[in-house]
Amino acid sequence: MKWEDKLSQWMGSQIEVHIEDQAGLDPVAPPKKITLEKIKMTDNNEYMQIYMNEHQFLAIPILGEDSTSLVTTDDGAVLCSSDAAAQLVYKVYFGV
């Protein structure tokens, strides 16, 4: 899947990022709304970098179909990625 192509329609729009700690060690971070400036995959295609400005980005692991999914609706899309090793679940809501 070419992630940049799939998500390019939301460039410049607001997205909402949720990171859930499945281990329960850290308090739940509040959702963060950011403007999607750019999407870039790392050279090894293991992480999607979601840029909130020219220099700052959030790296979300892309670990295959068992751990990463994209569900689209008429209103938007939700990217969900589970990192079992780090016990984190990333959810990015597009079209919020």
Side-chain angles (χ1 to χ4, degrees), residues 79-95:
L79 171 69
C80 185
S81 183
S82 298
D83 184 343
Q87 292 186 300
L88 296 173
V89 175
Y90 300 83
K91 292 182 181 174
V92 182
Y93 297 87
F94 298 86

Side-chain angles (χ1 to χ4, degrees), residues 48-63:
M48 177 190 311
Q49 297 171 331
I50 295 180
Y51 283 79
M52 53 193 92
N53 60 44
E54 189 176 327
H55 302 289
Q56 293 178 310
F57 63 86
L58 172 67
I60 297 178
I62 304 297
L63 303 169

Side-chain angles (χ1 to χ4, degrees), residues 57-71:
F57 63 86
L58 172 67
I60 297 178
I62 304 297
L63 303 169
E65 291 180 18
D66 292 340
S67 299
T68 306
S69 65
L70 180 67
V71 176

